[in-house]
């Protein structure tokens, strides 16, 4: 298989809240979707796309049960930062935007510094800086 692109689809309960949260963190909207069923954002320099669908819409389209992200991680996305100061700044921005820090910024492993957070719907993101990256 040689897909042209890859993106993620996550379930949310409130599109307006999701849009406000990711906009407050500075992520770029990925087009406008007039269906009222999703909001989409582009992440990182390569433009990885995450579509946030209303939960009932995504569940119906996939025809499967969806994990409750407040109780179990369906996936953990990692966002790389340019330095430990940036990691600390992003942690403050996440809290200000309404996210929940699962772990506070700290050193871990050899040459790693970061934290884990959840968005308002419980989707988890790992933010870290790695020496040499």
């Amino acid at each position: 298989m040689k897909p042209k692109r890859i993106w993620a689809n996550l379930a949310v309960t409130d599109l307006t809240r999701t849009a406000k949260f990711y906009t407050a963190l500075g992520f770029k909207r990925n087009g406008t979707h007039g269906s009222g069923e999703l909001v989409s954002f582009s992440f990182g320099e390569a433009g990885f796309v995450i579509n946030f669908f209303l939960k009932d819409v995504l569940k119906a389209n996939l025809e499967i049960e969806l994990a409750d992200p407040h109780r179990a991680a369906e996936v953990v996305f990692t966002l790389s930062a340019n330095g430990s100061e940036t990691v600390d700044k992003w942690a403050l921005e996440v809290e200000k935007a309404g996210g929940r820090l699962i772990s506070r910024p700290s050193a871990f492993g050899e040459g790693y510094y970061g934290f884990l957070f959840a968005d308002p719907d419980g989707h988890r993101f790992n933010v870290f800086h790695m020496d040499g990256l």
Side-chain angles (χ1 to χ4, degrees), residues 3-101:
K4 290 170 47 175
R5 292 194 62 160
I6 183 172
W7 59 87
N9 298 317
L10 299 176
V12 299
T13 57
D14 185 329
L15 293 176
T16 301
R17 179 183 66 190
T18 298
K20 284 181 183 178
F21 179 76
Y22 288 100
T23 299
L25 295 181
F27 293 106
K28 182 182 171 196
R29 289 284 290 264
N30 180 49
T32 56
H33 304 279
S35 67
E37 295 178 347
L38 80 136
V39 62
S40 183
F41 284 88
S42 178
F43 293 75
E45 293 174 9
F48 181 76
V49 173
I50 300 179
N51 297 311
F52 298 92
F53 280 89
L54 287 173
K55 185 177 182 177
D56 292 341
V57 171
L58 187 60
K59 183 178 176 180
N61 288 338
L62 296 178
E63 300 179 11
I64 61 170
E65 289 299 318
L66 301 174
D68 178 352
H70 291 288
R71 298 174 47 107
E74 74 263 72
V75 67
V76 176
F77 295 100
T78 298
L79 307 173
S80 64
N82 291 328
S84 58
E85 300 83 17
T86 302
V87 170
D88 291 338
K89 180 181 172 217
W90 287 0
L92 295 173
E93 290 176 2
V94 164
E95 286 186 304
K96 184 178 177 183
R100 178 176 61 91
L101 295 189

